[in-house]
Amino acid sequence: MIKAVRGMKDLLPPETARWHHIETIARAVFRCYGFQEIRLPLLERTELFTRSIGVNTDIVEKEMYTFPDRHGESLTLRPEATASVVRAFIENRLDQGAEVKKYFTMGPMFRYERPQKGRYRQFHQINAEALGGDAPELDAEMILLLLEILERLQIKNLELVFNSLGCSQCRPAYLLELTALFARGLRDLCDDCQRRSAVNPLRVFDCKSKTCQELLHQVPALSDQLCDDCQRHEQRVLELLDRFGVPYRKNPRLVRGLDYYTRTAFEVITTELGAQDAVAGGGRYNGLIRELGGPDHPAIGFAIGEERLAALLSQQQDPIPARPLLFIAVLGRTALDLAFDLVQAVRRQGYVADMDFADRSLKAQMTMANRRGASQVLIVGDKELAARQAPLKNMQSGQQQMVSIEGPSEILAALGSETEGVYGV
Ligand code: AMP
């Protein structure tokens, strides 16, 4: 038996209904906030990610699915979406016009991480990116948008964690200080951090090792050393969150795993999922568009992890897949064509209808209708064909009525306005 690749899951019904629900809600909220969908290739040139995410990050050092194509060009399965959105923004000249460009995208990402509950090698994200605006109001709007998606999905026990990562004015001095501090306590850092402390000292904040974490308690926080502009920006974002009644916790150690963030960085975490507690994360990336060869436009974005969102949703409500409102049981080959006509006519009116083509016994077909959760079953055989009438059985009440099978109208009237499964899919 050939099995799926480690860390890559099949998504099966009824779980797919939950995902559909998540994506439907997200789309509805994006629409209200003026975000349009953008769909991007899963494969990009490797350079796109090394240049944007940063060479000395976990993602680029250890987690990318990178391979040469048949012409020897190095390609990578995207580990995240922001770099691709920025690439598409530049390549398609989407920067025309003064307004902020707002895009969302949904789809799989690939990271060669150690699989565990809530962590996969192929996982899915819902991403939102707003390009071309540096107003702190935009940061607040992005956070409000993210929270509204989570709120409309009725996800509880979430916490918004906030930090500012400074800018090209204030961060370099801090990084120098950090490098010097780490150099002094170098022996206490883990091997990975020893190597990184000189080239990318912020990454030490991501380290899970206890000794590294202890050392970090002695270092000053970047958020205490922000330049005036960054301070004002942060204050205004937080003031707006207060104004909209959004609770948050400031965490000066939140750096996020990618190099391109500037100023605002945030995460939404949950107490419900154990170790993999981050449901969504994002931040501002003011230098990235220019870094990748585009205009000097500031931008901000976030990503929601769909597997984690679905796991949270599954604690609340099980999806019920669409139930056929009508199942037609056919007795004998001669009635099959008429039954097929009726099923099609009912489907075309927007109802869920089904039948079986295998010429089974009535008992077998009734069992099938029951298993599918059909509301009504129409039984059509030679006798009904001749009489142009057939019994329609309400599976809940057990009551039966005769309906005309000349056309679908009497059947449709009997189906009435019954509704479908919990998620309506
Ligand atoms: P990141 O791009 O690392 O900030 O991730 C954004 C969100 O994607 C996280 O908050 C998670 O919900 C989700 N995520 C990241 N990596 C994984 C993974 N390996 N498996 C499942 N979800 C993930």
Side-chain angles (χ1 to χ4, degrees):
M1 185 182 40
I2 300 173
K3 291 192 170 169
V5 174
R6 185 164 132 84
M8 305 200 177
K9 279 201 312 180
D10 298 315
L11 194 60
L12 306 172
E15 185 62 10
T16 32
R18 209 190 312 277
W19 282 56
H20 194 264
H21 176 60
I22 290 171
E23 289 168 8
T24 305
I25 297 268
R27 280 175 197 283
V29 179
F30 281 135
R31 195 168 165 271
C32 295
Y33 283 72
F35 281 68
Q36 290 178 299
E37 184 169 9
I38 169 168
R39 296 192 189 196
L40 303 164
L42 304 190
L43 270 181
E44 298 276 2
R45 285 168 212 266
T46 303
E47 194 194 353
L48 176 67
F49 302 114
T50 48
R51 267 176 56 190
S52 57
I53 298 170
V55 214
N56 298 295
T57 57
D58 272 356
I59 294 183
V60 170
E61 278 182 349
K62 311 182 205 164
E63 297 171 1
M64 295 205 304
Y65 280 89
T66 297
F67 56 91
D69 74 1
R70 287 177 190 276
H71 284 97
E73 183 172 9
S74 182
L75 301 180
T76 294
L77 277 168
R78 63 177 185 190
E80 59 108 39
T82 304
S84 305
V85 172
V86 170
R87 197 245 336 117
F89 178 77
I90 299 168
E91 189 172 343
N92 298 291
R93 302 296 319 262
L94 302 176
D95 60 309
Q96 306 302 304
E99 75 278 15
V100 175
K101 302 292 164 36
K102 297 172 170 180
Y103 302 109
F104 76 88
T105 190
M106 302 176 180
M109 307 294 154
F110 303 84
R111 292 183 197 172
Y112 197 82
E113 293 190 89
R114 198 168 49 78
Q116 63 179 80
K117 188 166 175 283
R119 192 162 71 194
Y120 308 99
R121 289 183 173 172
Q122 175 176 327
F123 61 98
H124 298 75
Q125 287 185 343
I126 299 173
N127 297 82
E129 314 288 344
L131 305 112
D134 62 358
E137 287 78 7
L138 186 59
D139 303 38
E141 185 181 50
M142 290 300 275
I143 294 174
L144 290 171
L145 160 64
L146 167 61
L147 295 178
E148 184 160 346
I149 294 174
L150 300 171
E151 196 178 306
R152 284 215 216 168
L153 287 165
Q154 297 176 9
I155 310 276
K156 305 272 175 351
N157 300 327
L158 296 173
E159 182 180 37
L160 172 67
V161 186
F162 184 94
N163 193 20
S164 175
L165 294 176
C167 66
S168 54
Q169 293 301 309
C170 48
R171 192 155 63 186
Y174 174 77
L175 293 182
L176 278 179
E177 192 182 337
L178 210 55
T179 310
L181 278 168
F182 287 152
R184 256 178 265 151
L186 198 62
R187 275 175 297 115
D188 297 329
L189 290 172
C190 74
D191 290 351
D192 248 4
C193 290
Q194 288 204 14
R195 192 172 46 80
R196 277 195 198 150
S197 59
V199 279
N200 200 347
L202 270 193
R203 292 280 73 84
V204 179
F205 285 94
D206 288 332
C207 185
K208 298 278 184 291
S209 135
K210 236 175 124 188
T211 42
C212 295
Q213 284 300 322
E214 268 162 27
L215 201 73
L216 284 175
H217 281 291
Q218 298 160 31
V219 308
L222 170 55
S223 53
D224 294 332
Q225 303 192 12
L226 299 176
C227 63
D228 289 349
D229 282 350
C230 285
Q231 264 183 43
R232 266 197 299 275
H233 188 94
E234 180 187 25
Q235 269 165 18
R236 176 70 178 145
V237 178
L238 297 181
E239 183 186 297
L240 285 163
L241 293 183
D242 288 338
R243 188 188 158 94
F244 285 97
V246 174
Y248 58 84
R249 174 167 60 87
K250 278 181 77 171
N251 177 2
R253 285 167 211 291
L254 176 77
V255 290
R256 318 249 316 111
L258 309 94
D259 278 356
Y260 52 62
Y261 287 117
T262 53
R263 293 191 172 164
T264 302
F266 54 94
E267 253 174 24
V268 174
I269 58 173
T270 170
T271 48
E272 313 279 312
L273 291 180
Q276 301 306 318
D277 63 352
V279 179
R284 196 163 255 297
Y285 47 93
N286 285 353
L288 184 60
I289 300 176
R290 193 192 51 221
E291 178 69 27
L292 291 175
D296 192 8
H297 283 189
I300 179 166
F302 67 73
I304 306 176
E306 261 190 289
E307 278 79 3
R308 296 187 193 169
L309 205 52
L312 287 174
L313 210 61
S314 72
Q315 295 171 350
Q316 298 172 9
Q317 203 176 24
D318 274 334
I320 299 172
R323 276 195 289 253
L325 296 174
L326 175 72
F327 190 92
I328 303 189
V330 200
L331 303 175
R333 283 274 156 206
T334 29
L336 192 133
D337 280 359
L338 177 100
F340 203 175
D341 286 348
L342 287 173
V343 157
Q344 282 304 104
V346 171
R347 285 173 174 162
R348 291 169 71 88
Q349 292 298 317
Y351 290 91
V352 185
D354 220 340
M355 65 183 286
D356 177 63
F357 303 122
D359 201 14
R360 285 177 228 269
S361 70
L362 178 61
K363 188 160 169 256
Q365 293 186 64
M366 291 309 278
T367 309
M368 210 179 275
N370 249 326
R371 280 173 53 110
R372 296 285 314 277
S375 316
Q376 313 253 3
V377 179
L378 184 77
I379 302 163
V380 193
D382 291 347
K383 200 173 81 199
E384 288 75 20
L385 213 54
R388 311 308 288 169
Q389 274 201 331
L392 182 69
K393 184 173 176 182
N394 184 315
M395 298 296 273
Q396 242 193 350
S397 65
Q399 277 175 354
Q400 214 160 281
Q401 59 175 310
M402 292 304 284
V403 290
S404 159
I405 51 172
E406 293 286 359
S409 56
E410 283 193 22
I411 299 169
L412 289 170
L415 292 180
S417 59
E418 278 207 59
T419 51
E420 292 173 24
V422 170
Y423 294 146
V425 284

